[in-house]
Amino acid sequence: MAEVQHQHPPYQRHHFESVAQQFDATNFAMWLFLLTEVMFFGGLFTAYLIMRNWYYPAFVEASHHLSIFWGTTNTAVLITSSFTLAMGVWCAETRRKSGLVLCLVLTFILGLVFLCIKGIEWHAEWVDHHVPGLRFSDADFINPALDPSIYKEYHDRPLSPGMALKTEEYFFLYFAMTGMHALHMVVGICILGFIICRAWAGAYTSGHVTFVENFGLYWHFVDIIWIFLYPLLYLISRHT
Amino acid sequence: MSHISPVLWQFLAKWLQHCPLFPPEASTIAPQMDALFFFLVLISLVGLTLVVLLVVAFSVLYSKNRHPKAVQIEGSTLLEATWTIIPLGLFLVAFVWGALIYFRVYTPPPNAMNIYVVGKQWMWKVEHPGGQHEIDELHVPVGRAVQLTLISQDVFHSFSIPAFRVKREAIPGRYTSVWFEATKPGTYNLFCTQYCGTGHSTMIGHVVVMKSGAYRKWLASSTSGMSLAQDGERLFASLSCNACHNTRPNARGPNLVGVYGSQLTLDDGQTVTADAAYLRQAILDPSQNATEGYAAIMPTYQGQISEGGVVELIEYIRNLTTGYRLQETLNTTQLPPVNESKTAAPAPGAQTEVNP
Amino acid sequence: MSSATIVNLPDPSTARIPKMNFLTRENGLLSWLLTGDHKRIATLYLISITFFFFIGGALAGLIRLELLTPQSDLMAADTYNKVFTMHGLIMIFLFLVPSVPATIGNFVIPMMVGAKDLALPKINLLSWYLYILAGGVMIYTMMVGGVDTGWTFTAPLSTHYLNTNVISAGLAVFIAGFSSIFTGLNFIVTIHKMRCPGMTWFRLPLFVWANYAASILMVLGTPVLAITLVLVILERTIHIGVFDPAYGGDPLLFQHLFWFYSHPAVYIMILPGMGVISEVISTFSRKRVFGYTAVAFSSVAIAVFGFFVWAHHMFIMGISNYAALVFSLLTMLVAVPSAIKIFNWAFTLYKGSITFETPMLYAIGFMGLFTIGGMTGIFLGATGTDIHLTETYFVVAHFHFVMVGGMLMAFLAGIHFWWPKWTGRMYPEKISQFAAVVTYIGFNLTFFPQFILGMLGMPRRYAAYPPQFQVLNVFSTAGATVLGVGYLLPVLYLTWSLRYGAIAGSNPWQATGLEWQTQSPPLTENFTEIPIMDHEAYDYEWLERQQAKEVASV
């Protein structure tokens, strides 16, 4: 028994019988956690779909006020970050330390870029009085011509006052969903920072890739949530 | 027991005698529900007796003293099947029986007389069609189907009459209904059973069931002089609804005569039945419920009319079966000059003035 | 009495608590607060949930005292509302949900599957810290004035109509939810990936199966509650949201989301309790559990069906009649696996060799009370009778029969069953048997009258009630007093036993689970070497052969 313990690689936790078991268990745990996250976002998606069904015109016209350009850019940024992270995992598996650090740093930067762009978009909503509860006015929807750039593109019909109020509902869900997603990004970036430090010290290029790989799962998952948010919030019924 | 004072003794005896163990059955549905209740009590007792009998019998027969060596048994598919299928069968009987009663309670007969109930923190406001208003009381005649249409002004409430075995939540923003036919004159408890804030336990009252003669007398003595529809008519006029909803061919709003219960095609192509729920929505949130062919210009009345007011308006519209009533409303109120309204909504070819 | 008991203690003159065990391995506060050992975390959990149980219990006492008289004279209505809300929140989220899984489950599951620890020890510790944080926020909520939404947080009452501390209470439940998610996640991973050689799925003790089923519910259900609470808190802070109809929301959406978690939550609470009962009944009748596969699969069936019955809390809330029909039918289906379990336990006794130690008394009490609790569930699942009985004391009684009569009895059975393993010492048998009987009597006296009150129509959550209901309420309050004594006794004698109890030895009950084949209290690593499972669960003949071998070798 004692000699077996001495053969353990240093990263194997004492209560696991083998590295394979450790990897299996933590990997499985990560998938379960993601399942939990699916249910968590599921509640938000349900609320969104019901409200959209009820207040369809308000949701359509409110979605016109999001910036397709920034939304698409952000999607691209996020997908690229997933790619760089996947490359990072590959580097870790093939024990390329500098490659790993480079990929992680790239991912880190792309994550920050995503958040910055998200910040720009939120700021635009703040300027346009589209922040529910804090700074909101439905004037843009009662009289769409007030915002000529958007009016030129979509020729929105004026919403009746009752329906125009419901655009606040859209922006409530927009902020709740993108905010919850951004929160996950922030958590992800913090963990990424920690991983970069460890990777720099060479912790993941000696055969121990579990942590990087599991973090990758999380990062891809957050990415996938965005892949659902983007069409739901920005794209559908763009042109009716 | 001699040291217990006789006063206390009497008090105790009286106290115990006034403790009912079963609620009165005062509606047609009550005996039906109690039948199911007792069926369920019966199967519960049988089940419980069986379990207790098995446990006690085995405990005695196979206690370590009598039966020092256990016999290992794997299980028995036959027994498993038995105690899967028999309970399942019983539960399904309960399900079907329960569903029959449920559908009966929540499907009012067409000839039921309708009473509106508005719940708010912390009182029940009852609006009779004849214009009788009650708070925390409900007077109903014996032997007649009564439908309650419930809505809440603020939070969830629940209208419960244990003696009738009926209960329905009053929900903010939508109508629910329940019906009953009282069978025994008397006064019964009325509770709010859904927790609704600080005064939840004060939101109680009485349901008074009266013989038809007494009921008629009560109706006559407690009327406010105006029926619910008349209240609605007054509100209709004071909100100037008739500026648009008149019978003129060039009217900007649809004609409301006979609209209650009819099929309407909406702006977005949907077909709806113009029932109380739809009319409420159309008043409070008109833009989403505009009738086909009319511009969605009606302002919202959300927050401007109480649920009680909405009920009055609906009752008014429900009673508009001929154009005559609407004409009367029009005649008693000042209409804006016809010319002005025309400039706002030009309707070529329909300029003929019909209103004398 | 000696022949009527299976308790097999080592010779008191020579017996010693093993010097090296998980309690003595390291000393100092930090060694506890930073531990990764599942047994130490279970101990921390046991202490903390006991603390919250007695806070919740004290609140329950206040409720019963207030209801002694029809008027609201002990407390004003708003105080009463806060008291029952805090009672519900604390008992459900800080006691019932973590009770068996986080204490007993945490303690025995790794040993039962033959592992050194749970798969994720740090996550396990994190889960305890989250629990403590949640408890702290809950106590803070109480300190600054409490909350009076009812434990159900019903919108729009909670979002706009109350000015109490809804946000901090919601936050506490949110955090407690994540504590519970992490426990569930850890169990699932451990059961899947950490089983020792030879430990196939159908050799797992039924306690493991039950906790596995409950863990699935925790992992899938709790996040929905979390997001619902986030939406409630947002709606309350910025006055726009998806629940209040005055702002264009749908209050029924709240009900759907809330009960999507909170119905499965009752299975989260009861399933681990059922697992305890399987272990106890088998051990004290010296016989394998009758129909092992049926009992195992009935747990999973409850978990699966449990997800599709939530709308039976909404039968009178204006969901469509046909939706009510479907949910009623599914509710009837979820009742069947519970019936299967009850009968299998009863038949486990058949041809056994039964003794009646304290855990067994609690387990038998569980069977009776749970049968009543389960059957009254049918009254509420059948749509017709639900109209009359829902939102009355009938529901209160039903819920307490299942949760207190069922779950708490099972928890106490489990604590008494594994106490010798946990501490290495026995508690005084006669007093504990007496406490079990007192609990049973007190419980029935407290909650049975409430069924009648419910049938009479007395609404729940009333600070004042019509005088005609007083007699039954007085009985109920009297019962609660007895019940309180029944719950205090174990705390006293179990604490006493920590120092003065007889040495238990490794297997006082002659039970077959792997956790009994190691020393008491166990080593930090549980086993000196990883066991190899070469027999079925509950194989008492294997145990006898094993003991015969040991005697021969000595």
Side-chain angles (χ1 to χ4, degrees):
Chain A
M1 205 50 201
E3 58 195 313
V4 177
Q5 268 169 2
H6 287 298
Q7 287 163 8
H8 286 170
Y11 47 80
Q12 185 186 326
R13 302 291 312 278
H14 73 96
H15 59 287
F16 289 110
E17 282 304 287
S18 63
V19 178
Q21 189 192 32
Q22 175 170 349
F23 174 75
D24 248 22
T26 46
N27 196 253
F28 184 59
M30 198 59 200
W31 280 105
L32 273 178
F33 179 70
L34 297 186
L35 204 58
T36 300
E37 292 276 20
V38 168
M39 297 305 286
F40 186 80
F41 278 97
L44 276 176
F45 281 113
T46 310
Y48 174 84
L49 290 176
I50 289 173
M51 291 296 144
R52 180 185 173 80
N53 209 27
W54 279 18
Y55 308 127
Y56 181 74
F59 272 50
V60 168
E61 294 200 7
S63 77
H64 292 168
H65 286 255
L66 299 189
S67 161
I68 275 268
F69 170 73
W70 285 126
T72 314
T73 314
N74 245 352
T75 311
V77 167
L78 213 49
I79 290 178
T80 317
S81 80
S82 260
F83 174 73
T84 54
L85 190 63
M87 285 304 291
V89 173
W90 177 77
C91 286
E93 276 167 354
T94 52
R95 308 194 176 197
R96 295 161 210 259
K97 190 180 135 187
S98 50
L100 171 64
V101 173
L102 176 72
C103 286
L104 292 179
V105 169
L106 276 178
T107 314
F108 188 83
I109 293 171
L110 287 169
L112 285 180
V113 168
F114 176 89
L115 286 181
C116 289
I117 294 179
K118 204 69 240 165
I120 293 172
E121 288 190 74
W122 284 342
H123 179 71
E125 304 307 340
W126 176 264
V127 172
D128 290 349
H129 293 259
H130 288 158
V131 181
L134 302 173
R135 188 172 149 105
F136 192 83
S137 146
D138 54 10
D140 283 354
F141 304 102
I142 292 171
N143 183 7
L146 279 179
D147 196 337
S149 59
I150 288 163
Y151 186 67
K152 212 166 63 205
E153 194 172 344
Y154 299 104
H155 300 288
D156 285 334
R157 287 165 57 192
L159 289 176
S160 63
M163 190 49 88
L165 275 175
K166 303 297 186 285
T167 55
E168 195 172 1
E169 202 70 62
Y170 172 84
F171 282 105
F172 172 76
L173 285 163
Y174 167 76
F175 276 98
M177 292 165 100
T178 55
M180 207 52 83
H181 178 262
L183 189 68
H184 280 78
M185 289 291 296
V186 171
V187 171
I189 287 173
C190 291
I191 301 175
L192 195 51
F194 169 75
I195 292 182
I196 290 172
C197 296
R198 297 283 317 275
W200 188 258
Y204 305 117
T205 34
S206 55
H208 177 50
V209 293
T210 317
F211 197 74
V212 181
E213 183 156 343
N214 286 340
F215 175 76
L217 287 177
Y218 172 81
W219 192 265
H220 299 320
F221 169 80
V222 177
D223 202 1
I224 287 171
I225 291 289
W226 179 257
I227 298 296
F228 279 90
L229 288 180
Y230 173 61
L232 273 182
L233 293 170
Y234 291 76
L235 293 184
I236 47 174
S237 324
R238 199 73 193 178
H239 295 279
T240 41
Chain B
M1 289 289 160
S2 57
H3 54 278
I4 294 181
S5 85
V7 178
L8 188 63
W9 193 244
Q10 273 179 2
F11 171 76
L12 270 178
K14 200 175 159 197
W15 191 56
L16 285 168
Q17 276 164 8
H18 285 83
C19 164
L21 293 175
F22 200 75
E25 286 180 334
S27 75
T28 49
I29 206 77
Q32 300 174 22
M33 199 172 287
D34 289 345
L36 172 57
F37 181 82
F38 283 117
F39 167 73
L40 290 171
V41 170
L42 184 74
I43 61 169
S44 301
L45 283 178
V46 170
L48 185 66
T49 317
L50 192 62
V51 171
V52 170
L53 221 59
L54 286 175
V55 171
V56 170
F58 291 157
S59 297
V60 172
L61 286 175
Y62 304 110
S63 74
K64 188 164 184 182
N65 288 338
R66 283 200 192 198
H67 197 253
K69 183 88 184 89
V71 180
Q72 299 301 324
I73 302 166
E74 194 66 19
S76 150
T77 317
L78 184 67
L79 277 177
E80 297 291 347
T82 315
W83 58 58
T84 307
I85 291 167
I86 293 178
L88 181 64
L90 288 172
F91 296 165
L92 287 182
V93 171
F95 159 69
V96 172
W97 194 340
L100 287 174
I101 291 175
Y102 183 83
F103 272 70
R104 223 168 280 160
V105 174
Y106 288 154
T107 316
N111 63 344
M113 82 187 225
N114 187 39
I115 297 177
Y116 290 96
V117 178
V118 178
K120 56 179 288 191
Q121 284 178 326
W122 290 277
M123 61 168 81
W124 293 109
K125 290 167 90 172
V126 177
E127 309 271 3
H128 292 262
Q132 293 80 4
H133 309 288
E134 298 183 79
I135 286 180
D136 289 343
E137 287 228 318
L138 171 63
H139 286 75
V140 290
V142 76
R144 199 158 155 211
V146 175
Q147 176 185 348
L148 302 178
T149 301
L150 302 143
I151 193 159
S152 161
Q153 183 101 35
D154 36 47
V155 299
F156 279 95
H157 299 283
S158 189
F159 194 86
S160 161
I161 313 168
F164 295 174
R165 310 286 189 277
V166 295
K167 182 183 288 146
R168 188 62 145 172
E169 298 249 337
I171 299 171
R174 68 177 76 184
Y175 288 111
T176 53
S177 67
V178 64
W179 78 281
F180 55 81
E181 185 183 324
T183 50
K184 269 189 217 142
T187 305
Y188 305 103
N189 282 324
L190 158 66
F191 295 122
C192 171
T193 50
Q194 173 67 274
Y195 177 64
C196 55
T198 309
H200 173 49
S201 57
T202 57
M203 202 166 159
I204 63 176
H206 298 288
V207 177
V208 182
V209 178
M210 306 169 103
K211 292 216 176 83
S212 55
Y215 180 67
R216 245 176 282 132
K217 225 179 271 169
W218 176 84
L219 279 182
S221 66
S222 33
T223 180
S224 55
M226 299 252 277
S227 74
L228 205 53
Q230 281 168 325
D231 283 331
E233 181 175 15
R234 196 198 264 177
L235 191 59
F236 191 81
S238 72
L239 293 166
S240 304
C241 305
N242 45 19
C244 301
H245 295 286
N246 47 45
T247 48
R248 293 179 198 151
N250 64 342
R252 282 178 296 177
N255 185 353
L256 297 179
V257 174
V259 78
Y260 190 94
S262 67
Q263 293 283 321
L264 294 178
T265 311
L266 299 189
D267 219 7
D268 56 6
Q270 278 183 304
T271 317
V272 295
T273 308
D275 53 5
Y278 167 76
L279 289 176
R280 181 180 173 279
Q281 281 301 317
I283 294 168
L284 296 180
D285 192 8
S287 55
Q288 261 197 287
N289 298 283
T291 320
E292 192 184 26
Y294 291 90
I297 51 166
M298 182 169 155
T300 172
Y301 285 89
Q302 185 90 49
Q304 296 176 44
I305 316 178
S306 70
E307 293 295 350
V310 176
V311 158
E312 288 165 3
L313 286 175
I314 290 171
E315 194 64 9
Y316 169 63
I317 294 168
R318 197 163 73 91
N319 283 293
L320 274 180
T321 43
T322 63
Y324 174 72
R325 190 63 248 163
L326 194 58
Q327 292 303 327
E328 287 295 295
T329 316
L330 296 178
N331 291 341
T332 54
T333 50
Q334 196 81 47
L335 276 186
V338 174
N339 290 335
E340 273 176 37
S341 65
K342 271 180 200 159
T343 52
Q351 302 280 335
T352 340
E353 185 60 72
V354 278
N355 202 18
Chain C
M1 234 6 225
S2 60
S3 67
T5 177
I6 54 161
V7 179
N8 188 354
L9 298 182
D11 179 6
S13 57
T14 55
R16 289 283 176 274
I17 297 267
K19 259 217 176 71
M20 198 57 164
N21 65 50
F22 82 98
L23 294 167
T24 56
R25 161 86 170 247
E26 286 173 285
N27 285 316
L29 191 62
L30 272 188
S31 77
W32 282 88
L33 292 182
L34 299 175
T35 180
D37 181 7
H38 66 100
K39 295 176 291 300
R40 285 195 162 200
I41 296 171
T43 313
L44 293 173
Y45 256 120
L46 181 64
I47 296 166
S48 27
I49 73 160
T50 308
F51 173 72
F52 282 107
F53 173 74
F54 279 97
I55 293 186
L59 292 167
L62 284 177
I63 294 175
R64 283 316 324 165
L65 273 182
E66 164 57 44
L67 293 178
L68 200 54
T69 56
Q71 307 80 22
S72 71
D73 35 20
L74 179 68
M75 294 172 248
D78 58 338
T79 317
Y80 177 81
N81 294 343
K82 286 175 183 169
V83 168
F84 77 67
T85 301
M86 297 310 297
H87 165 72
L89 287 173
I90 290 178
M91 283 303 203
I92 286 172
F93 295 108
L94 298 178
F95 177 71
L96 284 170
V97 169
S99 61
V100 168
T103 59
I104 301 174
N106 227 336
F107 186 81
V108 296
I109 284 179
M111 287 190 267
M112 279 180 163
V113 302
K116 288 182 194 161
D117 203 331
L118 282 175
L120 310 161
K122 285 181 187 162
I123 297 286
N124 197 17
L125 185 65
L126 172 68
S127 147
W128 180 72
Y129 275 107
L130 285 174
Y131 173 85
I132 288 298
L133 184 63
V137 178
M138 193 68 90
I139 286 182
Y140 163 80
T141 308
M142 239 181 357
M143 296 290 189
V144 295
V147 60
D148 59 347
T149 54
W151 78 273
T152 46
F153 285 104
T154 314
L157 185 68
S158 62
T159 55
H160 290 119
Y161 291 90
L162 294 173
N163 54 2
T164 48
N165 307 290
V166 181
I167 292 178
S168 63
L171 202 63
V173 174
F174 181 88
I175 300 168
F178 276 89
S179 158
S180 147
I181 288 176
F182 288 137
T183 305
L185 194 145
N186 227 334
F187 284 179
I188 296 182
V189 176
T190 308
I191 296 166
H192 267 273
K193 303 287 180 190
M194 306 285 284
R195 283 170 286 130
C196 66
M199 181 62 85
T200 59
W201 281 91
F202 291 100
R203 283 179 176 174
L204 287 172
L206 288 165
F207 181 74
V208 178
W209 273 96
N211 274 282
Y212 181 74
S215 300
I216 293 175
L217 293 169
M218 285 186 201
V219 167
L220 292 182
T222 323
V224 179
L225 176 75
I227 192 65
T228 312
L229 290 171
V230 168
L231 287 172
V232 165
I233 291 172
L234 279 178
E235 183 160 345
R236 211 180 146 76
T237 19
I238 64 173
H239 302 293
I240 176 77
V242 290
F243 297 140
D244 187 344
Y247 296 89
D250 180 6
L252 285 189
L253 175 64
F254 173 85
Q255 296 292 329
H256 280 293
L257 289 178
F258 182 82
W259 288 113
F260 183 82
Y261 164 75
S262 294
H263 192 76
V266 305
Y267 298 115
I268 292 177
M269 300 176 221
I270 194 69
L271 275 168
M274 293 170 154
V276 172
I277 300 305
S278 297
E279 299 300 313
V280 170
I281 297 230
S282 163
T283 301
F284 294 95
S285 41
R286 325 277 320 129
K287 195 165 154 283
R288 78 177 262 129
V289 173
F290 193 87
Y292 172 96
T293 342
V295 178
F297 278 123
S298 63
S299 292
V300 180
I302 288 176
V304 173
F305 285 123
F307 265 119
F308 301 100
V309 297
W310 77 87
H312 67 209
H313 295 268
M314 302 162 67
F315 282 160
I316 68 163
M317 267 188 199
I319 57 169
S320 98
N321 288 357
Y322 297 98
L325 207 62
V326 172
F327 280 100
S328 173
L329 181 61
L330 288 165
T331 306
M332 296 304 169
L333 295 184
V334 82
V336 174
S338 303
I340 294 176
K341 278 175 188 284
I342 288 279
F343 283 111
N344 276 302
W345 290 327
F347 268 78
T348 303
L349 302 175
Y350 174 65
K351 292 205 172 167
S353 173
I354 309 164
T355 56
F356 300 95
E357 279 80 10
T358 316
M360 187 62 164
L361 291 185
Y362 277 116
I364 289 175
F366 171 97
M367 284 175 70
L369 300 180
F370 182 74
T371 306
I372 299 176
M375 286 308 299
T376 48
I378 302 297
F379 289 63
L380 297 163
T383 42
T385 32
D386 181 70
I387 295 175
H388 176 55
L389 298 173
T390 189
E391 297 174 352
T392 67
Y393 263 81
F394 195 90
V395 172
V396 177
H398 159 70
F399 184 77
H400 283 84
F401 259 80
V402 179
M403 288 299 132
V404 184
M407 183 58 182
L408 198 53
M409 285 278 178
F411 176 70
L412 288 171
I415 288 295
H416 284 90
F417 183 57
W418 280 290
W419 188 258
K421 176 54 59 185
W422 206 313
T423 62
R425 288 184 188 272
M426 299 299 292
Y427 41 82
E429 184 68 22
K430 287 279 175 270
I431 302 180
S432 61
Q433 283 173 332
F434 172 71
V437 174
V438 168
T439 313
Y440 189 79
I441 294 169
F443 178 85
N444 278 302
L445 190 53
T446 312
F447 292 106
F448 202 83
Q450 296 184 0
F451 280 125
I452 305 169
L453 282 171
M455 183 57 199
L456 287 168
M458 177 172 165
R460 64 195 288 205
R461 298 172 168 180
Y462 262 30
Y465 55 85
Q468 77 221 42
F469 300 137
Q470 192 183 5
V471 176
L472 290 164
N473 272 299
V474 169
F475 279 119
S476 187
T477 303
T481 321
V482 181
L483 195 58
V485 173
Y487 291 144
L488 267 175
L489 279 176
V491 180
L492 299 179
Y493 62 74
L494 288 179
T495 316
W496 177 89
S497 78
L498 283 177
R499 203 179 164 102
Y500 305 104
I503 306 288
S506 62
N507 195 358
W509 310 126
Q510 303 292 292
T512 57
L514 284 180
E515 78 272 24
W516 296 107
Q517 314 312 322
T518 182
Q519 65 173 48
S520 324
L523 289 167
T524 303
E525 300 81 22
N526 295 340
F527 306 101
T528 40
E529 54 190 299
I530 288 299
I532 292 168
M533 187 73 173
D534 54 2
H535 56 279
E536 302 297 307
Y538 313 112
D539 190 342
Y540 291 90
E541 281 148 3
W542 169 85
L543 184 70
E544 274 170 32
R545 283 198 302 274
Q546 199 74 7
Q547 283 167 341
K549 237 190 281 174
E550 270 169 36
V551 170
S553 68
V554 167

